[in-house]
mmCIF file of all heavy atoms in Angstrom:
data_model
loop_
_atom_site.group_PDB
_atom_site.id
_atom_site.type_symbol
_atom_site.label_atom_id
_atom_site.label_comp_id
_atom_site.label_asym_id
_atom_site.label_seq_id
_atom_site.Cartn_x
_atom_site.Cartn_y
_atom_site.Cartn_z
ATOM 1 N N ALA A 23 -13.284 -9.252 -6.600
ATOM 2 C CA ALA A 23 -12.544 -8.810 -5.420
ATOM 3 C C ALA A 23 -13.213 -7.739 -4.631
ATOM 4 O O ALA A 23 -13.201 -7.785 -3.364
ATOM 5 C CB ALA A 23 -11.161 -8.352 -5.883
ATOM 6 N N VAL A 24 -13.815 -6.781 -5.258
ATOM 7 C CA VAL A 24 -14.550 -5.712 -4.560
ATOM 8 C C VAL A 24 -15.716 -6.291 -3.828
ATOM 9 O O VAL A 24 -16.002 -5.989 -2.619
ATOM 10 C CB VAL A 24 -14.908 -4.605 -5.553
ATOM 11 C CG1 VAL A 24 -15.817 -3.591 -4.876
ATOM 12 C CG2 VAL A 24 -13.670 -3.926 -6.111
ATOM 13 N N ALA A 25 -16.479 -7.185 -4.532
ATOM 14 C CA ALA A 25 -17.632 -7.800 -3.908
ATOM 15 C C ALA A 25 -17.206 -8.686 -2.721
ATOM 16 O O ALA A 25 -17.866 -8.679 -1.678
ATOM 17 C CB ALA A 25 -18.394 -8.647 -4.940
ATOM 18 N N ALA A 26 -16.115 -9.423 -2.832
ATOM 19 C CA ALA A 26 -15.609 -10.224 -1.778
ATOM 20 C C ALA A 26 -15.285 -9.412 -0.536
ATOM 21 O O ALA A 26 -15.536 -9.789 0.585
ATOM 22 C CB ALA A 26 -14.396 -11.046 -2.195
ATOM 23 N N THR A 27 -14.754 -8.203 -0.781
ATOM 24 C CA THR A 27 -14.429 -7.316 0.325
ATOM 25 C C THR A 27 -15.704 -6.952 1.130
ATOM 26 O O THR A 27 -15.720 -6.930 2.312
ATOM 27 C CB THR A 27 -13.784 -6.007 -0.210
ATOM 28 O OG1 THR A 27 -12.570 -6.359 -0.884
ATOM 29 C CG2 THR A 27 -13.405 -5.072 0.953
ATOM 30 N N ALA A 28 -16.770 -6.703 0.361
ATOM 31 C CA ALA A 28 -18.052 -6.339 1.002
ATOM 32 C C ALA A 28 -18.618 -7.507 1.823
ATOM 33 O O ALA A 28 -19.344 -7.322 2.735
ATOM 34 C CB ALA A 28 -19.021 -5.928 -0.069
ATOM 35 N N LEU A 29 -18.219 -8.723 1.447
ATOM 36 C CA LEU A 29 -18.674 -9.920 2.130
ATOM 37 C C LEU A 29 -17.753 -10.352 3.291
ATOM 38 O O LEU A 29 -17.947 -11.386 3.908
ATOM 39 C CB LEU A 29 -18.852 -11.070 1.162
ATOM 40 C CG LEU A 29 -20.019 -10.942 0.183
ATOM 41 C CD1 LEU A 29 -19.913 -11.964 -0.884
ATOM 42 C CD2 LEU A 29 -21.337 -11.051 0.907
ATOM 43 N N GLY A 30 -16.722 -9.506 3.541
ATOM 44 C CA GLY A 30 -15.905 -9.754 4.669
ATOM 45 C C GLY A 30 -14.564 -10.445 4.367
ATOM 46 O O GLY A 30 -13.853 -10.865 5.337
ATOM 47 N N ALA A 31 -14.148 -10.555 3.127
ATOM 48 C CA ALA A 31 -12.884 -11.176 2.825
ATOM 49 C C ALA A 31 -11.741 -10.476 3.478
ATOM 50 O O ALA A 31 -11.590 -9.254 3.396
ATOM 51 C CB ALA A 31 -12.662 -11.224 1.312
ATOM 52 N N GLY A 32 -10.824 -11.212 4.146
ATOM 53 C CA GLY A 32 -9.720 -10.634 4.789
ATOM 54 C C GLY A 32 -8.454 -10.724 3.965
ATOM 55 O O GLY A 32 -7.461 -10.050 4.257
ATOM 56 N N VAL A 33 -8.468 -11.596 2.966
ATOM 57 C CA VAL A 33 -7.335 -11.811 2.076
ATOM 58 C C VAL A 33 -7.812 -11.931 0.648
ATOM 59 O O VAL A 33 -8.844 -12.612 0.434
ATOM 60 C CB VAL A 33 -6.572 -13.115 2.446
ATOM 61 C CG1 VAL A 33 -5.431 -13.441 1.462
ATOM 62 C CG2 VAL A 33 -6.033 -13.021 3.861
ATOM 63 N N ILE A 34 -7.153 -11.279 -0.303
ATOM 64 C CA ILE A 34 -7.502 -11.397 -1.685
ATOM 65 C C ILE A 34 -6.233 -11.665 -2.506
ATOM 66 O O ILE A 34 -5.221 -10.951 -2.342
ATOM 67 C CB ILE A 34 -8.218 -10.174 -2.221
ATOM 68 C CG1 ILE A 34 -9.575 -10.048 -1.580
ATOM 69 C CG2 ILE A 34 -8.327 -10.180 -3.747
ATOM 70 C CD1 ILE A 34 -10.341 -8.761 -1.907
ATOM 71 N N GLU A 35 -6.266 -12.666 -3.326
ATOM 72 C CA GLU A 35 -5.133 -13.068 -4.164
ATOM 73 C C GLU A 35 -5.516 -12.971 -5.593
ATOM 74 O O GLU A 35 -6.603 -13.410 -6.009
ATOM 75 C CB GLU A 35 -4.697 -14.506 -3.819
ATOM 76 C CG GLU A 35 -3.546 -15.015 -4.655
ATOM 77 C CD GLU A 35 -3.299 -16.495 -4.409
ATOM 78 O OE1 GLU A 35 -4.165 -17.307 -4.696
ATOM 79 O OE2 GLU A 35 -2.197 -16.779 -3.924
ATOM 80 N N LYS A 36 -4.627 -12.324 -6.417
ATOM 81 C CA LYS A 36 -4.950 -12.153 -7.815
ATOM 82 C C LYS A 36 -3.621 -12.275 -8.595
ATOM 83 O O LYS A 36 -2.611 -11.769 -8.191
ATOM 84 C CB LYS A 36 -5.508 -10.749 -8.034
ATOM 85 C CG LYS A 36 -6.085 -10.529 -9.418
ATOM 86 C CD LYS A 36 -7.474 -11.081 -9.529
ATOM 87 C CE LYS A 36 -8.102 -10.683 -10.892
ATOM 88 N NZ LYS A 36 -9.489 -11.176 -11.025
ATOM 89 N N HIS A 37 -3.662 -12.923 -9.743
ATOM 90 C CA HIS A 37 -2.486 -13.114 -10.577
ATOM 91 C C HIS A 37 -2.083 -11.838 -11.198
ATOM 92 O O HIS A 37 -2.947 -11.026 -11.625
ATOM 93 C CB HIS A 37 -2.742 -14.159 -11.671
ATOM 94 C CG HIS A 37 -2.754 -15.559 -11.103
ATOM 95 N ND1 HIS A 37 -1.831 -16.525 -11.449
ATOM 96 C CD2 HIS A 37 -3.576 -16.164 -10.191
ATOM 97 C CE1 HIS A 37 -2.086 -17.681 -10.808
ATOM 98 N NE2 HIS A 37 -3.135 -17.450 -10.012
ATOM 99 N N PHE A 38 -0.782 -11.556 -11.333
ATOM 100 C CA PHE A 38 -0.174 -10.295 -11.785
ATOM 101 C C PHE A 38 0.747 -10.561 -12.961
ATOM 102 O O PHE A 38 1.537 -11.514 -12.933
ATOM 103 C CB PHE A 38 0.569 -9.695 -10.582
ATOM 104 C CG PHE A 38 1.011 -8.297 -10.779
ATOM 105 C CD1 PHE A 38 0.340 -7.240 -10.213
ATOM 106 C CD2 PHE A 38 2.149 -7.984 -11.550
ATOM 107 C CE1 PHE A 38 0.770 -5.915 -10.393
ATOM 108 C CE2 PHE A 38 2.587 -6.683 -11.743
ATOM 109 C CZ PHE A 38 1.859 -5.649 -11.161
ATOM 110 N N ILE A 39 0.655 -9.658 -13.916
ATOM 111 C CA ILE A 39 1.506 -9.796 -15.075
ATOM 112 C C ILE A 39 1.854 -8.365 -15.602
ATOM 113 O O ILE A 39 1.104 -7.460 -15.362
ATOM 114 C CB ILE A 39 0.820 -10.583 -16.209
ATOM 115 C CG1 ILE A 39 1.836 -11.037 -17.318
ATOM 116 C CG2 ILE A 39 -0.295 -9.791 -16.822
ATOM 117 C CD1 ILE A 39 1.237 -12.042 -18.273
ATOM 118 N N MET A 40 3.036 -8.217 -16.210
ATOM 119 C CA MET A 40 3.395 -6.847 -16.716
ATOM 120 C C MET A 40 2.537 -6.547 -17.941
ATOM 121 O O MET A 40 2.050 -5.383 -18.038
ATOM 122 C CB MET A 40 4.878 -6.878 -17.097
ATOM 123 C CG MET A 40 5.817 -6.987 -15.930
ATOM 124 S SD MET A 40 5.549 -5.689 -14.635
ATOM 125 C CE MET A 40 6.076 -4.250 -15.560
ATOM 126 N N SER A 41 2.318 -7.514 -18.833
ATOM 127 C CA SER A 41 1.522 -7.227 -20.014
ATOM 128 C C SER A 41 0.962 -8.596 -20.533
ATOM 129 O O SER A 41 1.704 -9.528 -20.768
ATOM 130 C CB SER A 41 2.294 -6.647 -21.089
ATOM 131 O OG SER A 41 1.605 -6.598 -22.306
ATOM 132 N N ARG A 42 -0.382 -8.659 -20.622
ATOM 133 C CA ARG A 42 -0.995 -9.899 -21.175
ATOM 134 C C ARG A 42 -0.534 -10.191 -22.573
ATOM 135 O O ARG A 42 -0.472 -11.341 -22.986
ATOM 136 C CB ARG A 42 -2.501 -9.874 -21.043
ATOM 137 C CG ARG A 42 -3.072 -10.056 -19.634
ATOM 138 C CD ARG A 42 -4.549 -10.216 -19.642
ATOM 139 N NE ARG A 42 -5.190 -8.952 -20.044
ATOM 140 C CZ ARG A 42 -5.453 -7.968 -19.187
ATOM 141 N NH1 ARG A 42 -5.093 -8.044 -17.944
ATOM 142 N NH2 ARG A 42 -6.027 -6.869 -19.618
ATOM 143 N N ALA A 43 -0.224 -9.137 -23.289
ATOM 144 C CA ALA A 43 0.209 -9.296 -24.706
ATOM 145 C C ALA A 43 1.449 -10.110 -24.830
ATOM 146 O O ALA A 43 1.741 -10.720 -25.867
ATOM 147 C CB ALA A 43 0.382 -7.941 -25.334
ATOM 148 N N GLU A 44 2.290 -10.067 -23.741
ATOM 149 C CA GLU A 44 3.552 -10.872 -23.788
ATOM 150 C C GLU A 44 3.308 -12.414 -23.594
ATOM 151 O O GLU A 44 4.230 -13.171 -23.748
ATOM 152 C CB GLU A 44 4.469 -10.380 -22.672
ATOM 153 C CG GLU A 44 4.903 -8.921 -22.927
ATOM 154 C CD GLU A 44 5.810 -8.434 -21.723
ATOM 155 O OE1 GLU A 44 6.039 -9.228 -20.796
ATOM 156 O OE2 GLU A 44 6.198 -7.251 -21.757
ATOM 157 N N GLY A 45 2.108 -12.743 -23.226
ATOM 158 C CA GLY A 45 1.790 -14.154 -22.985
ATOM 159 C C GLY A 45 2.330 -14.592 -21.664
ATOM 160 O O GLY A 45 2.863 -13.827 -20.856
ATOM 161 N N GLY A 46 2.189 -15.903 -21.464
ATOM 162 C CA GLY A 46 2.579 -16.496 -20.140
ATOM 163 C C GLY A 46 1.516 -17.521 -19.756
ATOM 164 O O GLY A 46 0.372 -17.385 -20.209
#
């Protein structure tokens, strides 16, 4: 995501979870 910003990305999407240990 940081590298994409340097390349001009205007939008970044990333999956979000409270805790990976809880699974999903």
Side-chain angles (χ1 to χ4, degrees):
V24 172
T27 302
L29 289 168
V33 176
I34 291 173
E35 178 185 63
K36 191 81 172 182
H37 286 245
F38 190 101
I39 195 169
M40 294 303 293
S41 170
R42 282 189 294 274
E44 295 177 2

